[in-house]
Amino acid sequence: MWKWFHKLASPPHFYRLAGLWAPWLMGAALILIAYSLYAGLVLAPPDYQQGDAFRIIYVHVPSAYLSLMAYTMMAVASAIGLVWRMKLAHAVAASAAPIGASFTFLALFTGSVWGHPMWGTWWEWSDPRMMTELILLFLYLGYMALRAAFEDRKRADRAGAVLAIVGVVNVVLVHYSVEWWSSLHQGQTVMNEDATMPASMLTPLLTMILAFTLFFGAVMFMRLRGEILLRETNARWVRRMVTGEAAHG
Amino acid sequence: MADGAPDKTPGTVRLREASLRPVGSFGAVVARELQLAVRRPADVLNPLFFFSVVATMFPLAVSPLPQVLEVIGPGIVWVAALLAALLPLNGLFGQDFDDGTLEHYVMSGQSLVAICFAKTVALWLVAALPLVLASSVVAETYRLPLEALPVLVLALAVGSFALCALGAVAAALTVGVQRASALIALLVLPLMVPVLIFGTRAVSLAGAGDPVAGPVYLLLAIGLAAALLAPIAAAVALRISLD
Amino acid sequence: MAEFFAMGGYAGYVWSAFGVTLIVLAGNGWFARRRHAQIIASLRRNAQVESTEAQPGFKEVMT
């Protein structure tokens, strides 16, 4: 088991595996996205309260879920990279950031577009989820800006890792503090979350979450390959690959 | 490419006379920082001046009406104080880096966490404490009731300490980076959101004569956590930056 | 069909949310591909420079 893990974590091996997996993950993700779009936009009935506007949930919730998942992944990978000085973990953190930031943007955008017909506003300052996502976006951007400030990749990796770990504490704190804050503002209940969804509405949501996760995995592997190469510039396998097979990549 | 990039090691940079003294212990670092601040009063005065100017803009920009000022006052005092407290962060480790003191600290074998904590305390004494005092004057011009003043001072004192502690982490991460001020602000301000929420709430509630124990305790908890954890993160960050 | 595109009066909201989502997803894939290709290309350039360069160990700084 340990041996298997060690082999998986070796850069050339992982580089090859990621190259093998990425197209399959991407294919599965695209098929599942297509199915979920059809099921969510056509098969699912309109909501009795929100009409067809509720369908935005099928892109909003998966994006919000992935924005948090990617940040958690980034922070955990950063911690592993700092403690065990593992290059692959730093590569994971560096790859997760831009993808996570894009999903955070999506969660904010779709949330805003959904909020307008439902709450009558594009932006609700007292909503803890919106605020958490916004701060999350700032943290992603800060992480990427910090990385970009260094020419030395090792330093960018490790400095970014410290920031990612500090930020994860902050995300939790922001969420609870805004929740506490907005409870003082007597914020209206925006959605009755107790309402149970019929299967025809719930299934496309679950398949879309799975599809987005697969898509995230596929893009992750694509980015990881580049990040691994950058960290292994002087390794013999990279040199051989770059100079040898011209058709690679 | 990492191995090929030129590394800026400050080892060859000349040591300044102040840094040749035995350093490393908490008290010595704080004393040295205070001494440097006396020699460069601009470090204390510039944030104060900046704070006063920012606080002056709002009544002109929004409205001088007392009932408006009452509402926006606590928030403006907080935001202006936080922004002003960002100003000295760039120099917190920057000067020590340039003259080799930082290298000296790391080599001295003393606990880097203790040094970071000392730097945080010194920064708070030099840059934040005058701001806290000035903010009480500004708050009065914003029609904050006199009874709310102790809450404002306490909350700002705790909040600005959290800012100094987290700011030290950002400053340590960006040591040696050219024009790091904007980057530091970008990194620190999102981290200050919880402090800002509880801090302004406490002052607003105090202004309205409501009980403030809830937000004040939460603010104290955050301040304590920042004081305990941030120096550790700053020490790790310093090691990374000087590696 | 027209009824489907009208989305019960929420057409603008629903289609802009789904449209932007698909654009961002496509952009994710495209940028990831492009970055990998760029990295390979720059590594290859470096390898060529090194093989032609007289001094060994010369390296182009890459971003």
Side-chain angles (χ1 to χ4, degrees):
Chain A
M1 172 67 196
W2 178 249
K3 218 175 159 187
W4 172 82
F5 181 75
H6 211 74
K7 194 180 171 204
L8 183 72
S10 94
H13 188 72
F14 192 87
Y15 180 84
R16 209 172 50 81
L17 273 187
L20 282 176
W21 288 340
W24 289 100
L25 277 177
M26 185 56 93
L30 291 181
I31 292 170
L32 210 52
I33 286 175
Y35 163 75
S36 313
L37 281 178
Y38 177 70
L41 288 170
V42 181
L43 297 183
D47 186 65
Y48 75 102
Q49 270 181 329
Q50 305 197 3
D52 285 307
F54 99 96
R55 296 181 198 279
I56 295 172
I57 197 174
Y58 296 127
V59 285
H60 176 71
V61 168
S63 304
Y65 157 72
L66 270 184
S67 68
L68 291 168
M69 212 266 301
Y71 199 92
T72 313
M73 192 180 204
M74 199 172 99
V76 171
S78 293
I80 293 173
L82 267 191
V83 175
W84 286 290
R85 304 202 166 215
M86 202 173 140
K87 275 188 208 162
L88 190 60
H90 284 307
V92 167
S95 312
I99 318 175
S102 74
F103 280 109
T104 313
F105 163 76
L106 266 188
L108 283 168
F109 178 83
T110 54
S112 171
V113 164
W114 193 6
H116 193 253
M118 289 307 119
W119 317 337
T121 172
W122 297 106
W123 187 257
E124 178 52 55
W125 284 108
S126 66
D127 185 59
R129 283 161 303 186
M130 288 186 113
M131 283 307 293
T132 310
E133 285 289 323
L134 184 62
I135 299 299
L136 193 63
L137 183 62
F138 292 155
L139 288 174
Y140 274 124
L141 296 180
Y143 175 85
M144 291 193 280
L146 181 67
R147 288 197 65 101
F150 303 116
E151 275 186 12
D152 179 2
R153 193 164 312 281
K154 261 185 205 144
R155 189 173 166 197
D157 277 346
R158 302 175 65 203
V162 173
L163 184 69
I165 295 165
V166 173
V168 88
V169 181
N170 188 56
V171 173
V172 177
L173 265 180
V174 167
H175 187 85
Y176 286 108
S177 55
V178 181
E179 210 160 64
W180 172 86
W181 178 66
S182 60
S183 69
L184 296 175
H185 285 241
Q186 287 122 25
Q188 74 279 33
T189 337
V190 248
M191 259 175 286
N192 47 342
E193 291 170 79
D194 315 320
T196 46
M197 272 185 164
S200 61
M201 287 162 121
L202 186 62
T203 314
L205 181 60
L206 297 179
T207 56
M208 194 65 110
I209 289 175
L210 180 62
F212 269 45
T213 311
L214 291 174
F215 186 88
F216 174 82
V219 179
M220 204 46 208
F221 280 142
M222 288 159 77
R223 280 196 173 269
L224 256 175
R225 298 183 87 207
E227 295 292 335
I228 288 173
L229 288 184
L230 284 179
R231 283 163 182 76
E232 295 280 306
T233 314
N234 294 320
R236 210 181 306 138
W237 68 274
V238 175
R239 290 174 169 263
R240 210 179 315 138
M241 192 194 83
V242 168
T243 49
E245 347 155 57
H248 208 105
Chain B
M1 74 124 246
D3 318 65
D7 216 343
K8 270 184 257 153
T9 27
T12 53
V13 183
R14 86 208 129 73
L15 295 176
R16 210 169 45 195
E17 147 256 337
S19 66
L20 287 171
R21 227 166 287 151
V23 286
S25 69
F26 177 84
V29 174
V30 174
R32 176 178 179 274
E33 294 292 318
L34 293 181
Q35 215 176 340
L36 284 174
V38 172
R39 244 183 270 171
R40 281 194 315 259
D43 284 6
V44 182
L45 295 177
N46 283 355
L48 267 182
F49 183 46
F50 178 80
F51 172 74
S52 320
V53 174
V54 170
T56 309
M57 300 279 127
F58 282 92
L60 299 173
V62 184
S63 161
L65 290 174
Q67 58 270 38
V68 176
L69 292 181
E70 255 170 48
V71 176
I72 64 173
I76 286 165
V77 171
W78 263 91
V79 171
L82 289 188
L83 291 179
L86 286 175
L87 293 181
L89 285 179
N90 194 18
L92 181 62
F93 294 112
Q95 284 149 9
D96 286 356
F97 176 71
D98 290 339
D99 65 18
T101 312
L102 212 49
E103 194 85 337
H104 195 61
Y105 284 151
V106 176
M107 296 296 180
S108 69
Q110 300 283 341
S111 156
L112 213 48
V113 177
I115 290 172
C116 287
F117 187 67
K119 292 283 275 182
T120 304
V121 171
L123 175 72
W124 183 76
L125 287 174
V126 170
L129 202 55
L131 276 176
V132 173
L133 301 177
S135 66
S136 57
V137 178
V138 171
E140 280 317 295
T141 67
Y142 276 96
R143 316 286 167 125
L144 187 78
L146 214 52
E147 310 85 73
L149 211 51
V151 175
L152 174 80
V153 171
L154 173 72
L156 260 182
V158 175
S160 61
F161 192 85
L163 179 94
C164 290
L166 290 168
V169 180
L173 284 174
T174 54
V175 166
V177 173
Q178 295 293 308
R179 286 183 288 279
S181 314
L183 186 57
I184 291 176
L186 193 63
L187 299 183
V188 173
L189 286 179
L191 300 177
M192 292 306 292
V193 168
V195 168
L196 187 73
I197 287 176
F198 296 129
T200 50
R201 250 347 261 190
V203 180
S204 297
L205 288 175
D210 291 329
V212 295
V216 167
Y217 285 147
L218 290 167
L219 190 63
L220 282 171
I222 292 178
L224 195 64
L228 289 175
L229 299 176
I232 299 173
V236 173
L238 268 189
R239 278 203 199 285
I240 291 169
S241 297
L242 294 176
D243 209 10
Chain C
M1 202 61 177
E3 196 190 342
F4 169 69
F5 284 111
M7 275 291 151
Y10 294 114
Y13 299 111
V14 173
W15 294 121
S16 66
F18 279 79
V20 170
T21 301
L22 292 182
I23 289 169
V24 170
L25 289 186
N28 256 310
W30 190 74
F31 278 114
R33 251 186 96 91
R34 199 185 64 155
R35 181 155 162 83
H36 186 242
Q38 278 174 342
I39 289 168
I40 296 252
S42 72
L43 287 181
R44 191 162 292 153
R45 235 182 0 255
N46 276 10
Q48 275 166 2
V49 167
E50 257 175 59
S51 61
T52 54
E53 202 73 19
Q55 325 108 297
F58 171 86
K59 248 166 268 151
E60 190 181 325
V61 174
M62 229 162 34
T63 44

